[in-house]
Amino acid sequence: MIASKCSTNYAAARAENEAISCEENQIQHRLMLTDEMKLICMFEDTFPANGYIDSKEFLLRLNSDQAAIDLQSLVLLRTSLDTLRKILSFFQKAKSAGLYPTLVLMAEPIAQYPEISRRIDTILDKYGEVRDNASEQLAIIRKSLKDKEKSISKNILSILQKAQAEGLVEEGASVSIRDGKTLIPVAAANKKKLSGVVYDESATGKTVFIEPYEVIELNNQVRELQFEEQREIQRILFEFTAFLRPYLPELVESALFMGEIDFIRAKALVAMDIIAGMPVISKDGAVRLHKARHPLLEKALKKENKEMVPLSLELTKEKHILLISGPNAGGKSVCLKTMGLLQYMFQWGMLIPTSEISEMVIFDSVFIDIGDDQSLENDLSTYSSHLMNMREIVASSNEKSLVLIDEFGSGTEPAAGGAIAEAILAELDAKGVYGIITTHYTNLKLFAGNSKGVVNGAMLFDANNIAPLFKLEQGLPGNSFAFELARKIGLPEAIVKKAEELAGEDFVDMEKQLRKIARNRKALDQKLIKVRSADKALEGLTDKYQKELSEIKVLKKQILDQARSEAKEILAGANRQIENTIREIKESQAEKEKTKASRKKLESFRDTILDDHSDASDDKIDRELELLLARKQREQKRKEERARKAGTPVSGNLVKPVPKDNDGPVKVGDKVRIKDGDLIGEVVQISTKSVSVAIGSITTKMAPSKIEKISNAEYKSSLKKSATQFSSTSSYGSESVSKRRLEFSPSIDIRGQRLMDALDIVTHFIDDAQMVGVSQVKILHGKGNGILREEIRKYLKTMPGIKSFADEDITLGGSGITVVYLD
């Protein structure tokens, strides 16, 4: 397919001879070149789509001093240089725009040749013919040629008219040109009546073509001038070749560059035809194919107007062998061949027909056992050939190998074949080999269900319509549906029933139980994934809130230190004011008016202190601490709730319960209520017999028995009931919460995310939504095959604080968006 898209023989040969690579950098480089070229072919109209010329061969011949370029090659060279100029000009502009960096880097060493193009243009016109003024001598020769041809034309017309008048030539006849000679057609009977040389005759012999003696000499002169013209053109080409010869090494390099561009462009055009994209090179040793398609099968199905069912599968270091089972003609071999072909394309440097979030592993070797390799010459049966392949695979494969085996264990007696296959599978599992294996053997399905490295896969089957769905479900063993297929193709019912009796109920039940066990295990694995995801999210939230709590504590200490410093200054000022007041009273000898005025001034000073230095900052910090501690408690309750639902023990790395505020003895800073009343306040000082309580702006002393300790929550609740305190409490909220509220977006896009990452993002998103107090949010997960949507909604059901969720309106996205309503 790629070779057919190539314009040059060089590019077609590259397509034939290119080998796969096992080097990550080389594979990545090939993929980047092709992916960038695909974008150019899709979106750039100024990049040349033709004009790719094989100029290397005729350029190399010009290294000889005796060689000269011919006219045809000169025309091709001009076309090639013009295409090269357009390509390099395009990449220069792309470099300025920061586009297509890999191709730009590839083009940087290549030079343009404007002087060569200019010299060619002085020789050739736009039609590829040599110009009259290519040299002075050529101009003179061609002028002489035109004059001679005019003279011949004039003389021959005169002779023709005279012959017609004499009846030697028919009235409607005209001059004929043959081999460059101007001839008069004459009837054979009159050929001796017209003086001249018979040059040719018609096929019937009734007409002869005579060259009159009067124009023979002129025709000879024309021939001589034509020979002279060719010699002058050849001299011009020799001269140009001598000029060109020093540039030949660079021109050959440019020709190779254009061939590479042609090859890369052919790969890009094929990638566009098969709708291919660039996969990710896996960093964790996992193969993750998303919506992969076999390009040749898809092409064949399109001709039949049939849809291709895409393949999705995953192989990891832990689960590195996929054992596919299911009905015949259900798509098992297609899955295997799709993986093999796409792996080869990937390591060859082609884009592959999958989603671009697919991840591929680079293998050092690929082992294939597909089809019937029996050989009469070598006396090998089908099963013997399979065993020889197995011997090679077991001996040479390792953790960097991909093994593809179709119909594993078949070809011999089932019990023995199944046992040998199971032993080989165990060996491959132990070696850490990656593989996709198809089978019908039940013992292999059981082995996969109990193995650490092998996972079952089932080709789904519509049991109601007795038709394969060609869809792979990983984690479940497949059923052969042999009896159902036998009924569908019309095998007599009596025979089918007899076969079921011979197989026994145990066989039928075993198939059903295998699928039931695998389905339950898969459901349990999904629950474990959710629990782990929730634990991870909660741990992150705990660390974040703990950090915020620590920062607030530091801030509180700084504010208190500053307040103490200010208090010392205030106390010093108060002492000075008191001393001044006492001195004024003494000096005025206790005059009533003076004493009154001094007391009033002192009270005014005290009110100023109380108004300007309230404990609002300290209360704000306490409220922030309360909020964070309460938040931790809620997170712990959520984790315990999810753990109970999943049936797993709660992790030890949880937030400890916050002790109740009203436990323990009264201490400075505690919130208290006056017994037999509704007044509340804060303890500011404790002595052996009394407690000083600040109630609003008034501080009073009372016996410890007259007060009772209350929690911060009760204290806040009582404050909210007071109209005088409402405005201060309405501004409640930490700076971080306000910032989150301003920056919070009520929707997120998790399309293309892996399930674990998507669950983590949703956890943080819902948490922030509840913190800022919104009532509705939207999660954009896309439609696709619905797996991400289903998992997200299952997870939402386990999260507290969620009232309900539903699809978005059909005009706004429908099932591709989940609208979540919060309590």
Side-chain angles (χ1 to χ4, degrees):
M1 291 170 69
I2 291 174
S4 68
K5 300 285 186 181
C6 296
S7 299
T8 63
N9 292 331
Y10 172 88
R14 289 279 284 110
E16 288 292 330
N17 301 323
E18 183 84 326
I20 68 169
S21 173
C22 299
E23 299 296 328
E24 179 177 345
N25 291 338
Q26 187 178 43
I27 294 172
Q28 186 71 44
H29 182 68
R30 291 178 180 180
L31 292 174
M32 288 296 296
L33 288 173
T34 309
D35 190 54
E36 290 178 4
M37 184 59 74
K38 186 184 80 167
L39 295 176
I40 290 173
C41 293
M42 291 172 65
F43 302 113
E44 304 289 356
D45 295 331
T46 57
F47 193 83
N50 46 43
Y52 297 92
I53 304 296
D54 271 314
S55 57
K56 177 186 172 184
E57 295 301 324
F58 68 75
L59 286 173
L60 289 176
R61 289 197 297 267
L62 300 181
N63 280 314
S64 172
D65 292 339
Q66 305 303 316
I69 192 168
D70 57 72
L71 276 178
Q72 183 180 3
S73 297
L74 187 61
V75 173
L76 293 176
L77 180 60
R78 181 170 68 173
T79 303
S80 177
L81 290 177
D82 185 55
T83 305
L84 179 66
R85 177 186 59 78
K86 292 177 181 177
I87 292 172
L88 295 180
S89 176
F90 176 87
F91 285 131
Q92 286 173 358
K93 293 178 182 178
K95 182 179 180 181
S96 302
L99 301 173
Y100 317 120
T102 313
L103 285 168
V104 166
L105 187 64
M106 177 182 171
E108 277 187 352
I110 307 302
Q112 295 191 50
Y113 306 95
E115 181 58 23
I116 296 177
S117 297
R118 189 193 68 77
R119 289 287 291 268
I120 294 175
D121 288 338
T122 63
I123 298 173
L124 300 178
D125 61 17
K126 62 181 180 179
Y127 303 107
E129 300 293 337
V130 178
R131 295 177 180 273
D132 292 348
N133 60 353
S135 72
E136 292 183 6
Q137 184 62 30
L138 184 62
I140 293 171
I141 292 170
R142 286 187 171 176
K143 185 176 184 304
S144 298
L145 265 173
K146 289 178 182 178
D147 292 342
K148 295 295 181 185
E149 287 169 350
K150 285 181 181 179
S151 179
I152 290 172
S153 177
K154 184 177 179 181
N155 287 339
I156 202 74
L157 285 175
S158 175
I159 294 170
L160 177 64
Q161 290 172 356
K162 183 179 178 182
Q164 287 174 336
E166 294 176 353
L168 302 177
V169 178
E170 295 180 3
E171 288 295 330
S174 60
V175 174
S176 178
I177 305 295
R178 295 200 175 190
D179 299 330
K181 293 182 178 293
T182 308
L183 309 172
I184 295 176
V186 180
N190 299 323
K191 63 181 179 180
K192 293 183 179 180
K193 297 179 181 180
L194 183 66
S195 60
V197 177
V198 176
Y199 188 80
D200 198 1
E201 67 177 5
S202 66
T204 61
K206 294 181 179 181
T207 304
V208 294
F209 297 92
I210 298 176
E211 183 180 15
Y213 289 126
E214 291 89 338
V215 298
I216 287 177
E217 183 60 28
L218 290 175
N219 274 334
N220 289 339
Q221 292 176 9
V222 167
R223 293 288 290 176
E224 289 177 4
L225 286 172
Q226 288 174 343
F227 291 141
E228 192 175 347
E229 178 189 29
Q230 291 303 315
R231 287 193 297 272
E232 180 60 19
I233 290 174
Q234 192 65 22
R235 187 196 66 78
I236 293 170
L237 294 177
F238 263 105
E239 185 180 282
F240 174 78
T241 303
F243 159 76
L244 190 67
R245 197 165 284 119
Y247 297 97
L248 287 179
E250 290 81 7
L251 287 171
V252 170
E253 286 298 319
S254 299
L256 295 177
F257 167 75
M258 286 189 59
E260 281 295 320
I261 292 294
D262 184 28
F263 172 57
I264 295 168
R265 187 171 179 275
K267 290 202 295 181
L269 292 174
V270 171
M272 292 169 62
D273 288 345
I274 63 177
I275 316 176
M278 186 173 74
V280 178
I281 296 179
S282 177
K283 299 299 182 184
D284 60 357
V287 177
R288 297 183 179 92
L289 287 181
H290 294 276
K291 299 182 179 180
R293 309 178 318 279
H294 193 296
L296 305 181
L297 177 60
E298 185 175 34
K299 187 177 180 181
L301 289 174
K302 281 183 178 178
K303 292 180 180 179
E304 300 175 8
N305 295 320
K306 294 181 180 179
E307 288 291 329
M308 179 79 182
V309 180
L311 168 69
S312 295
L313 63 83
E314 181 177 31
L315 298 177
T316 65
K317 287 184 176 179
E318 294 74 26
K319 294 290 185 180
H320 48 88
I321 297 178
L322 175 61
L323 185 75
I324 304 178
S325 51
N328 288 317
K332 300 189 299 297
S333 297
V334 170
C335 291
L336 181 147
K337 292 179 180 179
T338 300
M339 176 64 201
L341 180 58
L342 266 55
Q343 184 67 40
Y344 194 96
M345 291 170 65
F346 161 69
Q347 292 193 221
W348 194 83
M350 283 188 69
L351 305 183
I352 60 176
T354 69
S355 167
E356 291 194 350
I357 62 172
S358 295
E359 298 181 42
M360 302 293 285
V361 172
I362 298 172
F363 295 108
D364 292 339
S365 53
V366 179
F367 295 89
I368 304 171
D369 183 67
I370 301 175
D372 186 355
D373 292 331
Q374 66 175 324
S375 171
L376 296 177
E377 292 180 359
N378 298 322
D379 194 25
L380 284 177
S381 67
T382 299
Y383 188 65
S384 297
S385 66
H386 285 316
L387 287 180
M388 290 184 67
N389 289 338
M390 294 305 106
R391 182 186 64 186
E392 176 68 18
I393 291 172
V394 171
S396 305
S397 62
N398 55 38
E399 69 278 358
K400 294 291 288 181
S401 301
L402 175 65
V403 173
L404 306 172
I405 304 175
D406 196 21
E407 299 294 346
F408 194 31
S410 63
T412 188
E413 193 273 322
I420 293 174
E422 184 174 340
I424 294 173
L425 184 58
E427 179 65 19
L428 296 178
D429 183 15
K431 291 167 74 75
V433 171
Y434 286 72
I436 297 181
I437 299 173
T438 69
T439 189
H440 287 286
Y441 286 158
T442 303
N443 67 308
L444 298 183
K445 302 177 194 177
L446 289 170
F447 177 85
N450 297 310
S451 170
K452 290 184 178 179
V454 185
V455 60
N456 272 307
M459 298 309 300
L460 299 185
F461 190 84
D462 185 349
N464 294 326
N465 297 315
I466 316 298
L469 300 176
F470 305 108
K471 185 176 181 181
L472 174 67
E473 183 173 358
Q474 203 162 329
L476 298 176
N479 193 323
S480 64
F481 292 98
F483 302 124
E484 290 82 353
L485 288 171
R487 287 190 174 93
K488 181 181 180 182
I489 65 173
L491 203 63
E493 182 63 22
I495 294 177
V496 176
K497 285 187 176 181
K498 180 65 175 178
E500 287 178 334
E501 292 173 3
L502 291 172
E505 292 183 2
D506 291 343
F507 172 81
V508 179
D509 290 342
M510 182 181 292
E511 291 283 340
K512 293 179 180 178
Q513 292 302 322
L514 272 175
R515 293 185 63 80
K516 183 177 180 181
I517 291 170
R519 191 178 291 107
N520 291 339
R521 176 172 290 181
K522 185 176 181 181
L524 180 60
D525 289 342
Q526 289 175 346
K527 288 184 179 180
L528 288 173
I529 289 172
K530 291 178 183 178
V531 171
R532 288 169 187 159
S533 175
D535 287 346
K536 182 179 178 182
L538 284 174
E539 287 174 8
L541 288 172
T542 302
D543 293 340
K544 180 173 67 175
Y545 292 141
Q546 190 66 41
K547 183 179 179 182
E548 289 184 6
L549 181 61
S550 301
E551 290 174 354
I552 292 173
K553 285 182 178 179
V554 171
L555 178 62
K556 177 179 178 180
K557 185 176 182 304
Q558 292 174 351
I559 294 174
L560 288 176
D561 291 343
Q562 182 180 354
R564 290 189 185 98
S565 176
E566 291 177 358
K568 289 180 181 179
E569 295 178 6
I570 293 169
L571 184 59
N575 289 335
R576 287 194 297 273
Q577 186 67 29
I578 292 171
E579 290 174 1
N580 290 337
T581 302
I582 293 172
R583 185 173 64 255
E584 288 176 3
I585 291 173
K586 287 182 178 180
E587 289 175 355
S588 63
Q589 295 180 355
E591 292 180 9
K592 189 174 182 180
E593 292 300 324
K594 281 279 188 180
T595 301
K596 212 171 175 186
S598 297
R599 285 179 177 173
K600 188 172 182 181
K601 188 188 293 185
L602 185 60
E603 289 175 358
S604 176
F605 179 70
R606 183 197 66 184
D607 293 341
T608 301
I609 292 173
L610 290 173
D611 289 343
D612 293 344
H613 301 279
S614 67
D615 58 352
S617 296
D618 195 35
D619 285 344
K620 184 177 180 181
I621 295 171
D622 286 339
R623 287 196 299 271
E624 186 70 18
L625 292 172
E626 282 283 328
L627 178 65
L628 290 173
L629 290 172
R631 186 68 181 170
K632 283 190 174 186
Q633 285 181 308
R634 289 197 299 273
E635 291 300 332
Q636 180 178 342
K637 288 179 180 178
R638 289 179 187 174
K639 188 166 186 176
E640 290 173 349
E641 179 70 19
R642 281 194 289 267
R644 281 196 297 271
K645 288 184 178 181
T648 58
V650 182
S651 172
N653 187 21
L654 298 176
V655 180
K656 293 182 179 180
V658 179
K660 293 182 179 180
D661 293 337
N662 54 1
D663 291 344
V666 174
K667 57 184 182 296
V668 175
D670 284 345
K671 307 301 187 291
V672 295
R673 179 188 288 111
I674 310 300
K675 292 181 179 180
D676 300 328
D678 293 330
L679 294 177
I680 58 172
E682 182 179 350
V683 177
V684 296
Q685 186 177 356
I686 299 175
S687 63
T688 55
K689 295 183 179 180
S690 64
V691 176
S692 296
V693 180
I695 304 172
S697 60
I698 301 173
T699 302
T700 181
K701 290 184 178 180
M702 58 186 67
S705 60
K706 292 187 178 181
I707 63 174
E708 60 181 356
K709 188 176 178 182
I710 62 174
S711 66
N712 285 330
E714 290 178 286
Y715 180 78
K716 290 176 187 176
S717 178
S718 298
L719 286 177
K720 288 180 181 178
K721 292 179 181 178
S722 173
T724 58
Q725 294 296 321
F726 180 81
S727 61
S728 63
T729 58
S730 65
S731 62
Y732 164 71
S734 68
E735 182 181 351
S736 62
V737 175
S738 299
K739 184 178 180 182
R740 287 186 188 180
R741 183 178 289 109
L742 291 173
E743 296 179 352
F744 180 75
S745 171
S747 64
I748 54 167
D749 185 350
I750 57 172
R751 290 175 296 178
Q753 298 288 339
R754 296 180 187 170
L755 178 59
M756 295 292 292
D757 294 336
L759 293 176
D760 191 35
I761 292 170
V762 169
T763 299
H764 285 80
F765 176 62
I766 297 298
D767 177 72
D768 286 344
Q770 291 172 337
M771 175 170 283
V772 302
V774 299
S775 60
Q776 175 185 313
V777 293
K778 297 180 180 180
I779 302 172
L780 174 57
H781 42 64
K783 296 180 181 178
N785 53 20
I787 293 177
L788 184 58
R789 169 180 174 271
E790 180 182 351
E791 294 301 326
I792 289 297
R793 293 193 171 190
K794 285 181 182 178
Y795 183 55
L796 289 174
K797 291 179 181 179
T798 68
M799 297 184 71
I802 293 179
K803 186 186 299 181
S804 62
F805 52 81
D807 288 346
E808 177 59 285
D809 185 89
I810 188 66
T811 60
L812 301 177
S815 61
I817 300 174
T818 294
V819 181
V820 183
Y821 301 94
L822 306 175
D823 290 334

